[in-house]
Amino acid sequence: MNCAECQEQLVPYIEQLLDDAQAEQIAEHVKDCPSCQAELEGLQTLQGRLVSHGKAAAQSDLEEHVMNRIIREQNVRLKSAAQASAGLRLRRSIMKSPMTKVAVAALVIVAVGIGISVIGSGTPAFAQVVRSILEARTATFRVVTNAPDQPATTMEGKFMDPGLGRHVMRMGEVETIMIMDYVQGKGLVLVPSQNMAMAIELEDRPNELDPGRINVFKVLRDRIIAAQENQDESVEYLGESQIDGRDVIGYRMTEDGTDTTIWADVDSLLPLQIEYSMGEALGQPVTVTMMDIQFNVPLDLAEFKTTVPAGYQEMSMQVDASKPTETDLVEMLGLWVEITDGQFPSDLTLEAVKDLGQAIEGKLNLPAGQKPDLNDPAFKEFMQTFQKINRSLMFVRNLPAEADWHYAGAEATSGDKTTPICWYRPTDSETYRVIYADLSVLDVAPEELPQ
Amino acid sequence: MDDRRLLERLKRGDRDALRAIYEKYEETLIALAANLLDDPSLAEDVLQDVLISLVRSVHRLNLRRSLKAYLATAVANRTRDYYRRKPRQQVVSIDEARHLAAGDKGPVQMVISSEQMQRVRVAVTELSYEQREAVMLRLHADMKFREIAEVQKVSTKTALSRYRYGLDKLRSMLNGEVQDESE
């Protein structure tokens, strides 16, 4: 055996993969060959070094600081690992469940009720539109939502002063009833076909309840009257027209990039139809039409009860009704990064939220589940995540144009403290708030902003 | 307690069993993950994922090999996901490694401040991922080449040669230091 042949076989030799005869040959050669012996020792030393350094690299003496923390967290997480797996499976079934869509819709409606203008399709229009007519004790109406590439959705609505709302929505075969009591700060979502109920509790509401927010038609009527009396610049008079054979007059109000067109009865001034377009502000144009509006029809108070009917599986949800803040946005970005393994939203729109849903599904390669257990902590956690997302979208949506909002997080790598994700200028501030990819937030002078 | 009994208990939802498994294999699996990843601070996350998926799949788990090999395989598979998903970090050359500032790499890498250790680490990152995986599965998880071959979906012979060429490459990169340090 020559040296080249020997060295060729050294690794299999060390690993004891050679048969006895071959091993014997190597051993013989190495014994008499200093060069191959050095080669063999070098290999063995390297292996030992890789093992010991490898372990050290993983453990090392930073235990005092970092590892202790990691292990602490690890232990906490481990405790819940068994639960987590059940929770993960649940999340998947939740994403496919009509209850999810319902719950999201409920959040939107809640947000509307507390006077925060909201993103998305459907109900948000309701917010502006239905700040209602002063003397209207009750109202019934139909809301039709149109968005590109999506089937129109219709919702039957009922309103009762003070601050009671009931909406019935159909998605396929599933009927969903959403009841809100803004005075009590309570809500109820029912899916009768599945016997599911979700009780909603509004937390941290502003102390003073604005009557204009409780009576959802009031603001709208005030605006009509004001516009009639002195031609407010923001309101455009559209003249007379006809809807369903009735004479109407129209006004168009433009505010924050949204158009609201109101067609009201010439004589009574009660709105008959309200068209609401959200323009391009939210990534895609959405129009909402509120029609067949009737005021002061007798309604049954029992229809607005927020207690869970007998026989329903119940879950409860706390909804943070305080004004969304930057903190909501930062927390949401943190959740997003966690769920998507380090990615940021492509944009802060409802479309991007759909991506998130897919990320959750994609991550959990599990068989589709059955009906979710509404009281499972994982379900609640999931709902809280959605709530957080909703609130941050509201925060961004509510920023005035002067805030100069920018989002640049689409390609960012999480944890990078130098990559800005988004920035805006708070009212009356000379500096901008910049949120970075490590979720730190700094005040930055305008001239130092990212290009 | 042997692994079979631990798994039986885990199937019944015994959390102490999960903890026992964790404590038994933590060192090995963390070392494996840390050496397969460019960012060793992710090793904890990998182990966590692996344990969660163990809990999730324990009911249909039918071990053909040791639990250790099973978990090491799971770590390797999971790590490969991380590795593919993330753009590869810029790897510094051996010469640059001696100038590496310890401070700017995050807390876990900070402790790998000894120059020797850093050099080994840098050398490892210069291997192809397949070679690196073969080396680490053999040295940290004590896997047989037949098992490594299974993880990598190649023949035993290929797994062995990946290991061998990996070691050769490391030796040539670290040439001259090995003897110095071993004395």
Side-chain angles (χ1 to χ4, degrees):
Chain A
M1 174 175 278
N2 62 30
C3 288
E5 287 167 347
C6 174
Q7 290 181 13
E8 185 74 11
Q9 295 294 319
L10 279 180
V11 169
Y13 174 70
I14 294 171
E15 296 294 339
Q16 299 177 353
L17 297 172
L18 301 179
D19 61 37
D20 289 351
Q22 291 170 313
E24 182 64 24
Q25 280 187 330
I26 302 284
E28 282 296 319
H29 178 92
V30 166
K31 205 167 63 185
D32 299 326
C33 174
S35 146
C36 285
Q37 193 169 7
E39 191 74 15
L40 176 63
E41 283 168 7
L43 266 174
Q44 285 168 328
T45 310
L46 173 67
Q47 287 182 328
R49 189 179 177 192
L50 285 169
V51 170
S52 62
H53 281 177
K55 283 192 176 144
Q59 292 163 355
S60 75
D61 59 358
L62 87 171
E63 296 207 345
E64 286 304 309
H65 309 292
V66 182
M67 284 314 245
N68 276 356
R69 210 196 73 210
I70 292 175
I71 287 167
R72 254 200 325 274
E73 289 173 4
Q74 172 81 35
N75 287 342
V76 171
R77 286 195 231 173
L78 258 181
K79 278 183 195 158
S80 57
Q83 279 185 340
S85 85
L88 295 177
R89 190 179 314 119
L90 193 66
R91 285 192 184 188
R92 163 122 175 152
S93 61
I94 287 166
M95 288 311 296
K96 293 189 181 300
S97 152
M99 199 66 189
T100 308
K101 293 171 188 164
V102 168
V104 172
L107 285 174
V108 171
I109 288 180
V110 168
V112 169
I114 55 180
I116 303 164
S117 80
V118 188
I119 311 262
S121 58
T123 46
F126 192 64
Q128 310 288 333
V129 166
V130 190
R131 286 181 187 165
S132 85
I133 299 213
L134 205 48
E135 67 270 31
R137 277 281 301 140
T138 69
T140 62
F141 45 87
R142 196 150 53 91
V143 181
V144 180
T145 305
N146 290 288
D149 309 326
Q150 283 176 29
T153 64
T154 302
M155 206 161 59
E156 304 290 337
K158 290 177 179 173
F159 164 79
M160 184 184 270
D161 203 33
L164 294 171
R166 177 190 169 98
H167 297 87
V168 180
M169 184 162 59
R170 271 189 172 279
M171 286 176 298
E173 293 301 303
V174 182
E175 183 185 74
T176 305
I177 302 168
M178 287 161 286
I179 299 168
M180 281 309 304
D181 181 337
Y182 298 120
V183 177
Q184 301 288 326
K186 286 182 175 170
L188 180 67
V189 178
L190 298 174
V191 185
S193 61
Q194 299 185 18
N195 284 338
M196 282 195 207
M198 181 166 64
I200 295 169
E201 197 128 358
L202 300 184
E203 290 183 332
D204 295 328
R205 287 194 299 170
N207 288 332
E208 296 277 316
L209 275 181
D210 178 353
R213 288 177 183 171
I214 295 174
N215 186 328
V216 276
F217 286 101
K218 181 178 178 301
V219 172
L220 192 53
R221 179 115 199 269
D222 287 351
R223 287 203 70 168
I224 297 174
I225 292 170
Q228 261 199 332
E229 286 172 354
N230 63 41
Q231 292 289 327
D232 185 321
E233 283 178 11
S234 67
V235 179
E236 182 189 355
Y237 179 58
L238 300 175
E240 292 196 19
S241 184
Q242 278 202 329
I243 290 178
D244 296 336
R246 295 170 72 171
D247 289 329
V248 294
I249 50 169
Y251 297 90
R252 179 180 294 131
M253 302 184 279
T254 304
E255 198 174 32
D256 296 338
T258 60
D259 271 359
T260 308
T261 305
I262 301 165
W263 298 102
D265 185 279
V266 171
D267 300 319
S268 67
L269 281 186
L270 294 178
L272 293 177
Q273 182 161 316
I274 299 162
E275 294 152 18
Y276 187 86
S277 107
M278 306 196 63
E280 294 288 340
L282 305 168
Q284 58 168 218
V286 176
T287 61
V288 180
T289 308
M290 189 176 183
M291 54 182 69
D292 299 344
I293 308 173
Q294 296 190 34
F295 293 101
N296 298 322
V297 274
L299 295 177
D300 185 354
L301 196 58
E303 284 194 300
F304 298 93
K305 269 171 70 171
T306 54
T307 44
V308 177
Y312 275 72
Q313 188 197 1
E314 180 187 354
M315 78 168 286
S316 60
M317 181 167 77
Q318 278 74 46
V319 174
D320 185 352
S322 61
K323 196 171 179 214
T325 63
E326 179 190 284
T327 310
D328 289 302
L329 177 60
V330 174
E331 287 177 12
M332 182 280 271
L333 291 171
L335 284 170
W336 198 293
V337 164
E338 194 180 310
I339 293 171
T340 61
D341 289 329
Q343 288 165 28
F344 285 95
S346 56
D347 201 354
L348 286 185
T349 63
L350 272 196
E351 279 305 302
V353 175
K354 283 182 196 158
D355 293 346
L356 183 69
Q358 280 167 3
I360 293 176
E361 285 198 22
K363 198 172 169 181
L364 310 165
N365 190 19
L366 293 163
Q370 59 290 24
K371 227 162 79 166
D373 173 5
L374 302 185
N375 283 310
D376 188 295
F379 183 90
K380 294 190 175 184
E381 185 197 321
F382 171 83
M383 291 309 304
Q384 296 301 329
T385 302
F386 245 106
Q387 194 187 152
K388 191 54 85 180
I389 290 164
N390 200 39
R391 285 176 59 78
S392 1
L393 293 179
M394 281 183 217
F395 170 73
V396 174
R397 167 91 178 121
N398 286 349
L399 289 172
E402 308 86 83
D404 194 24
W405 161 261
H406 279 84
Y407 182 78
E411 302 292 324
T413 307
S414 83
D416 179 359
K417 65 185 173 193
T418 59
T419 305
I421 298 301
C422 51
W423 55 95
Y424 72 99
R425 192 161 54 113
T427 309
D428 298 331
S429 166
E430 287 181 8
T431 55
Y432 280 72
R433 298 284 287 169
V434 181
I435 301 175
Y436 293 90
D438 65 346
L439 301 184
S440 61
V441 188
L442 293 178
D443 292 305
V444 173
E447 59 273 18
E448 286 166 17
L449 279 180
Q451 293 305 306
Chain B
M1 188 176 302
D2 74 21
D3 290 342
R4 205 163 295 278
R5 284 188 57 197
L6 283 175
L7 286 175
E8 282 307 317
R9 281 174 51 193
L10 189 59
K11 276 183 195 176
R12 295 198 301 270
D14 183 340
R15 285 191 200 168
D16 289 342
L18 181 62
R19 175 169 297 276
I21 291 170
Y22 170 68
E23 280 166 3
K24 190 167 174 185
Y25 294 115
E26 176 202 8
E27 194 183 320
T28 299
L29 298 175
I30 289 282
L32 176 62
N35 284 282
L36 285 174
L37 289 158
D38 288 341
D39 178 0
S41 66
L42 291 172
E44 292 280 350
D45 291 343
V46 168
L47 178 54
Q48 214 139 70
D49 290 347
V50 164
L51 288 172
I52 287 178
S53 82
L54 172 69
V55 172
R56 203 155 61 195
S57 60
V58 71
H59 288 280
R60 53 174 194 275
L61 194 63
N62 191 9
L63 278 191
R64 286 178 295 124
R65 330 163 235 161
S66 69
L67 178 59
K68 184 177 174 182
Y70 172 84
L71 291 172
T73 302
V75 165
N77 289 338
R78 183 67 63 160
T79 311
R80 220 176 294 130
D81 288 346
Y82 273 85
Y83 191 84
R84 285 189 185 139
R85 201 178 314 146
K86 291 191 66 168
R88 255 198 107 173
Q89 290 180 356
Q90 188 86 39
V91 174
V92 292
S93 75
I94 302 272
D95 285 338
E96 289 168 286
R98 67 183 77 232
H99 302 297
L100 261 186
D104 63 354
K105 282 285 181 179
V108 172
Q109 270 167 325
M110 211 149 72
V111 296
I112 314 168
S113 50
S114 104
E115 193 174 283
Q116 293 295 344
M117 216 194 290
Q118 189 66 270
R119 282 190 203 175
V120 171
R121 183 144 194 96
V122 170
V124 164
T125 59
E126 297 215 339
L127 298 182
S128 78
Y129 191 77
E130 290 74 21
Q131 289 174 355
R132 179 173 172 179
E133 193 177 60
V135 170
M136 296 309 162
L137 286 173
R138 175 75 198 107
L139 294 181
H140 285 295
D142 289 329
M143 272 186 152
K144 299 186 173 70
F145 288 103
R146 182 170 43 77
E147 293 172 326
I148 295 170
E150 218 167 295
V151 172
Q152 298 197 326
K153 299 191 173 65
V154 293
S155 68
T156 305
K157 201 174 152 204
T158 305
L160 174 62
S161 67
R162 281 176 176 173
Y163 174 75
R164 218 192 101 194
Y165 289 121
L167 285 188
D168 280 352
K169 196 170 171 189
L170 287 173
R171 270 200 84 196
S172 70
M173 279 189 285
L174 299 167
N175 204 17
E177 308 164 25
V178 177
Q179 282 84 356
D180 300 345
E181 198 205 10
S182 62
E183 298 307 318

